Amino acid sequence: MLYVEKTIPDDCFRLAPNLKQLDKYELAAVGSDPLSALIDPFRYNRPNTIQLTIFDENHNVVALWGAMPISKTQPRKAAIWFLSCELLDKHKRYFLQRNHKWLQYLESHYDFVFNFITKEHKQSIRWLKWQNFSFSNNTTLANGVEMYYFYKYLPKVDIDIQPIISEIGPKWTTELKDKGQL
């Protein structure tokens, strides 16, 4: 079983040393390292940044993901990302059964999301296509590594999409109760 919480900096420090090799490779290609990439959303402090942590039943950090607006003046255009460790593979079926609703929750905050992915990330590319992302036909070089640009234009959502209550962790549940939203 997996559950989701809003990310705190400690989650970044817990995941960074355990990141999958392919994710480390991709970050290196764009001139970043695991800890910097995970902690950057806290450093930039842009409005409408969403950063979520996936935990397993033993409270291990399995993945961090989210979206960060391209600038403070364009909070609805964001770079979307997902970084994980090998523990996610143990929960792949569970994750795949539930991730679409979580992605809808994230996407409801934006008009446009995008990023780059290495050609070697074949499984993630298949997942992104399954989630209706579009891909450029040509690759881009980042430090000699071929990468695809992927993106998605999102429709304006008139209703407020809520997190999946049965799958959020105790900290987020408490926050919603304190706000009277549960």
Side-chain angles (χ1 to χ4, degrees):
M1 188 176 132
L2 301 173
Y3 68 93
V4 178
E5 290 279 11
K6 291 182 179 179
T7 300
I8 60 172
D10 185 58
D11 302 340
C12 303
F13 286 93
R14 290 176 59 195
L15 181 61
N18 302 316
L19 214 56
K20 286 183 178 179
Q21 284 304 119
L22 198 49
D23 286 346
K24 289 179 186 179
Y25 171 70
E26 186 170 280
L27 290 172
V30 295
S32 190
D33 62 88
L35 185 56
S36 294
L38 294 167
I39 209 85
D40 274 350
F42 292 102
R43 289 183 188 154
Y44 287 105
N45 193 26
R46 292 185 182 155
N48 206 27
T49 295
I50 298 173
Q51 192 171 6
L52 302 170
T53 303
I54 300 173
F55 292 91
D56 69 9
E57 64 279 357
N58 296 317
H59 315 293
N60 295 309
V61 175
V62 173
L64 267 74
W65 62 290
M68 186 170 69
I70 59 173
S71 72
K72 288 185 177 189
T73 60
Q74 296 187 56
R76 295 196 53 87
K77 293 181 180 178
I80 190 168
W81 54 273
F82 186 97
L83 298 167
S84 65
C85 69
E86 300 296 335
L87 287 173
L88 182 63
D89 295 339
K90 292 170 63 176
H91 302 278
K92 189 179 290 186
R93 178 175 292 241
Y94 187 88
F95 172 76
L96 290 173
Q97 290 172 343
R98 289 160 175 78
N99 73 85
H100 188 70
K101 288 187 182 208
W102 277 105
L103 186 59
Q104 283 180 318
Y105 167 74
L106 178 78
E107 291 175 346
S108 72
H109 295 82
Y110 304 102
D111 298 326
F112 180 77
V113 291
F114 70 95
N115 212 326
F116 292 86
I117 189 167
T118 61
K119 287 178 71 173
E120 291 81 5
H121 251 300
K122 294 181 188 319
Q123 186 175 355
S124 295
I125 290 169
R126 281 194 310 274
W127 180 83
L128 288 164
K129 287 179 178 178
W130 180 55
Q131 297 295 341
N132 297 316
F133 280 86
S134 297
F135 281 75
S136 62
N137 291 329
N138 302 318
T139 58
T140 301
L141 282 180
N143 292 321
V145 176
E146 288 186 279
M147 301 184 91
Y148 288 111
Y149 174 72
F150 66 92
Y151 60 94
K152 188 191 282 190
Y153 289 96
L154 303 162
K156 178 75 173 140
V157 178
D158 292 332
I159 60 168
D160 185 26
I161 295 179
Q162 296 297 314
I164 303 158
I165 302 301
S166 64
E167 295 178 10
I168 62 174
K171 292 183 282 185
W172 199 351
T173 301
T174 301
E175 179 185 314
L176 290 175
K177 283 181 181 176
D178 289 348
K179 291 179 179 178
Q181 295 176 338
L182 270 184

